[in-house]
Amino acid sequence: MFDVDIKNKTYKKGNVVALKDVKFKLPSIGLVYLIGESGSSKSTLLRCLAALDDSYEGNIIYNSKRLKDYFISDLHLFEFSLCLQDDELDNYLSVIDNVMIGLELYNYSYARKKKKALKVLEEVGLLGIKDKKVSLLSGGERKRVSLARALAKEYNVLFLDEPLGPLHFEMRKKMMDLFEKIAKTKLVIIIAHNVKEIGEDKNIIKLKDGRIVENNLVINDEKIGEKSNVNRKKYSCCVKNNQNFCK
């Protein structure tokens, strides 16, 4: 689904190189974590993938077409859904109204919008406070409202920027189970700080100083960059410690 080849991404202010020689492919469905310490350019990469930033050298191919050639509004209406660190909630509206407002651009009846909102609020554990104003919520609750709004939309790719940060352990486990359920039919891309935060045996792309230093993605039963006993096409490069193991 994604074929990423970002040769360079530089912020003009300060001439800071944010991404350099970032190359990988992503499957159509599954759960992928972008991990790395603060300042490793995880959010920058996510914004490029989500078509929020196209000021990079190189190409990102999505469904056999350059991301830069799409109408951004179409992507964000029917293909991509995002939950970023800034929740952008309306403090004067209730929980359910904040979710439903994200559906205003769809030609849905009020009943359908409400039904979708109730469904996702139940999934994130907020159905019991659906009528509460978001100004009265905790940080973790606000994050889940923002997540519910993203889940209510039509999408094939879900982008989540540190959705687990403000959540307590039990709720974090519940949300991770939800993400894994969604990833059975969608592509879910999540930013996290490290493996300890998400657990072992996850699909990860690890960044350091704007470069990929580890990529353990498995596509079509073949670990990327490694030889396989079956005759399958290799899809990308496995990079570890700045060494490229692909042929």
Side-chain angles (χ1 to χ4, degrees):
M1 179 177 283
F2 276 100
D3 185 352
V4 180
D5 185 5
I6 299 176
K7 302 184 184 305
N8 184 69
K9 160 67 180 172
T10 302
Y11 288 112
K12 292 182 180 180
K13 186 176 181 179
N15 198 32
V16 176
V17 177
L19 296 170
K20 185 70 174 178
D21 298 327
V22 173
K23 187 174 183 178
F24 59 90
K25 291 191 177 185
L26 295 176
S28 298
I29 62 174
L31 180 58
V32 177
Y33 288 92
L34 303 179
I35 69 171
E37 299 302 321
S38 296
S40 60
S41 294
K42 304 183 299 295
S43 293
T44 299
L45 177 56
L46 183 139
R47 290 179 64 84
C48 292
L49 292 173
L52 296 175
D53 187 341
D54 64 0
S55 60
Y56 52 83
E57 297 175 21
N59 281 309
I60 297 176
I61 306 299
Y62 175 71
N63 285 348
S64 303
K65 182 178 177 179
R66 288 200 326 157
L67 207 57
K68 294 179 180 181
D69 293 336
Y70 281 93
F71 288 107
I72 305 303
S73 58
D74 288 345
L75 283 173
H76 287 275
L77 194 59
F78 300 110
E79 293 290 334
F80 298 166
S81 191
L82 300 90
C83 179
L84 303 180
Q85 292 191 47
D86 184 359
D87 56 45
E88 296 184 349
L89 300 177
D90 190 327
N91 287 322
Y92 296 98
L93 295 179
S94 67
V95 168
I96 190 169
D97 285 340
N98 266 279
V99 175
M100 291 176 66
I101 202 171
L103 301 173
E104 287 297 317
L105 293 177
Y106 298 100
N107 189 26
Y108 295 160
S109 65
Y110 177 84
R112 185 178 179 185
K113 286 189 290 186
K114 186 172 182 179
K115 183 178 180 180
K116 287 178 71 73
L118 291 173
K119 179 179 182 294
V120 294
L121 286 174
E122 183 176 16
E123 288 177 334
V124 301
L126 293 177
L127 190 58
I129 59 170
K130 62 181 176 63
D131 297 317
K132 193 173 184 179
K133 283 191 175 182
V134 296
S135 59
L136 303 176
L137 302 184
S138 67
E141 289 169 335
R142 291 180 66 95
K143 175 61 73 174
R144 283 186 282 154
V145 175
S146 182
L147 175 60
R149 186 168 60 187
L151 296 179
K153 291 182 58 183
E154 301 293 337
Y155 65 90
N156 288 310
V157 186
L158 180 63
F159 298 92
L160 306 174
D161 193 346
E162 298 189 25
L164 304 174
L167 306 182
H168 59 74
F169 177 79
E170 291 183 1
M171 186 53 64
R172 181 175 296 189
K173 175 65 167 59
K174 181 177 179 179
M175 291 301 97
M176 288 185 68
D177 289 344
L178 175 60
F179 301 152
E180 290 179 2
K181 178 182 176 182
I182 295 170
K184 291 180 180 179
T185 58
K186 312 285 187 182
L187 176 60
V188 182
I189 302 173
I190 301 177
I191 286 182
H193 280 294
N194 51 57
V195 174
K196 291 182 180 179
E197 185 179 0
I198 61 176
E200 302 291 338
D201 300 322
K202 305 295 185 183
N203 295 323
I204 67 167
I205 294 175
K206 185 176 182 179
L207 289 145
K208 183 177 181 181
D209 299 328
R211 294 175 180 266
I212 295 178
V213 294
E214 185 175 351
N215 179 348
N216 73 349
L217 296 187
V218 176
I219 300 179
N220 285 356
D221 300 324
E222 180 177 349
K223 192 163 185 177
I224 298 169
E226 293 185 355
K227 292 182 178 180
S228 173
N229 293 326
V230 294
N231 185 20
R232 294 184 184 274
K233 178 183 177 182
K234 282 186 171 60
Y235 280 83
S236 183
C237 294
C238 180
V239 181
K240 191 167 185 178
N241 296 329
N242 289 328
Q243 297 296 312
N244 190 333
F245 296 102
C246 284
K247 300 294 185 181

